[in-house]
Amino acid sequence: MEIHVLASGSTGNATCLKFGETAVLVDAGISARRIKKGLDEVGIGVENLSAVLITHEHTDHINGLKTLMKRYQVPVYTRPDTWDAISFRSLLPEVRCLPLADSLDIGNVKVEPFSISHDAADPVGFSFYHAGRKCCLATDLGFVTDPVKKALTGSDTVVLEANHDVDMLKTGSYPWPLKRRIMSNKGHLSNVDAGWTLVRLAQNRHTDIFLAHLSRENNRPDIAQTTVTGILEEAGYTQTADFTLYVTYPDRTVSSDADGQK
Ligand SMILES: [Zn+2]
Ligand SMILES: [Zn+2]
């Protein structure tokens, strides 16, 4: 199982997951050119994608989708209400715009989407199962509902939103309605939220943790890392033995190989 977060944040999201021979892309929020380049760099190749999965219709998750679908014959799955909410939907090749069911098999990977609380039509996160391992991806969520907790539990790899530092957001330059939206139940998870979510999972296995969708205005990689690590260590978890933390970026790929071969 390989995870490559090609880009993460409000300027664009795209994550490639590779399970044996099967590679899937979650979200196409950066240009098709950048997706191709990113996949080339990690040795996967865009033409080898088995599917693209879209979490929700916000621009930072679909920006490159139209060009990607035009250039490459890859099938794309998302919820029917999300398809309806995509403004350029009518310009996409119909046969490859597929409805996302509650469970589907892509190659040798089982995929289970789960609902998340966010201000979009029908937003989802994803759990992936392959060869006895589980990976869960949850970004763009206002708070951690029971389905999200359930999806995160037992994961070997977690890609979890750590959007903002609450103090930076409160004292920052965003207008109040936007601050309120981010902090709402349908907004984004803070660093502290991410830390406590991970602690409450009470994992009894090593977890690779990717902190994702960091705000450029209201967060910093070092603050996100320190905050989440602090909460985990306070709760008795040890770095390396219990967890490995990766911080993701809007403009560079962050990769792990959960089998520890890379
Ligand atoms: Zn987003
Ligand atoms: Zn969003």
Side-chain angles (χ1 to χ4, degrees), residues 55-61 118-120 139-140 181 187-188 213:
T55 57
H56 65 297
E57 72 277 15
H58 288 162
T59 318
D60 55 318
H61 299 261
H118 190 54
D119 55 355
T139 69
D140 298 71
R181 188 210 140 224
H188 292 277
H213 216 295

Side-chain angles (χ1 to χ4, degrees), residues 53-102:
L53 305 168
I54 301 293
T55 57
H56 65 297
E57 72 277 15
H58 288 162
T59 318
D60 55 318
H61 299 261
I62 59 168
N63 234 342
L65 186 63
K66 195 165 65 179
T67 310
L68 191 75
M69 288 186 80
K70 205 165 127 189
R71 287 192 191 154
Y72 309 101
Q73 299 297 310
V74 62
V76 181
Y77 295 84
T78 194
R79 294 293 204 199
D81 284 351
T82 303
W83 278 127
D84 289 345
I86 292 178
S87 60
F88 51 80
R89 165 78 173 85
S90 61
L91 304 172
L92 301 175
E94 185 68 37
V95 302
R96 285 189 284 119
C97 296
L98 303 171
L100 178 66
D102 288 334

